[in-house]
Amino acid sequence: MGRLTFIHGATVSATDVRKSWSKIVQSIKDHHQPIYVCTNNTPEAVVLSFEEFQHMQQIVETARREQLGQQMVCNLLDIAQLTSQPIKQMVLNEKEVFEEEEG
């Protein structure tokens, strides 16, 4: 396996992965960049550090929650319009159940 060049990650062959797994893992840890694994010059997989994977998962989860929140607001607005009822202020109680806000 030749020297890894890191721009936005390095590209290695599947054969390199089989032969040099330990070096590849160490490179990922040292450079904090993913490794793109190719077979016949076709990308097949990406290897990245566990920390980077966790960070990506957090971003995805945050985006998912934001999208769900936006959808809930749209649904509440639709319900309020259909029922001609105002939207009531709700709070999450200690049992994690929504209830109407007092006051």
Side-chain angles (χ1 to χ4, degrees):
M1 181 173 104
R3 185 175 179 284
L4 299 178
T5 303
F6 289 89
I7 297 173
H8 292 289
T11 302
V12 298
S13 70
T15 301
D16 288 338
V17 171
R18 285 190 295 276
K19 290 180 181 178
S20 304
W21 177 250
S22 296
K23 288 181 183 179
I24 289 169
V25 170
Q26 191 60 51
S27 291
I28 292 167
K29 289 179 180 179
D30 292 346
H31 299 285
H32 307 286
Q33 294 288 331
I35 300 288
Y36 304 97
V37 181
C38 296
T39 301
N40 298 322
N41 292 323
T42 302
E44 297 287 336
V46 177
V47 183
L48 57 136
S49 70
F50 185 70
E51 292 80 17
E52 185 63 24
F53 174 76
Q54 285 181 314
H55 179 69
M56 289 173 61
Q57 288 295 97
Q58 289 173 346
I59 291 170
V60 168
E61 181 62 19
T62 299
R64 187 187 70 79
R65 288 177 184 230
E66 176 67 24
Q67 184 180 23
L68 287 173
Q70 289 175 0
Q71 185 60 52
M72 286 175 61
V73 169
C74 289
N75 291 345
L76 286 171
L77 292 171
D78 287 345
I79 291 168
Q81 185 177 13
L82 289 170
T83 62
S84 299
Q85 297 291 321
I87 297 174
K88 297 178 182 179
Q89 191 72 20
M90 304 294 280
V91 294
L92 196 60
N93 67 20
E94 65 278 352
K95 295 180 182 177
E96 297 189 4
V97 174
F98 283 105
E99 59 185 24
E100 192 171 335
E101 185 174 56
E102 296 177 17

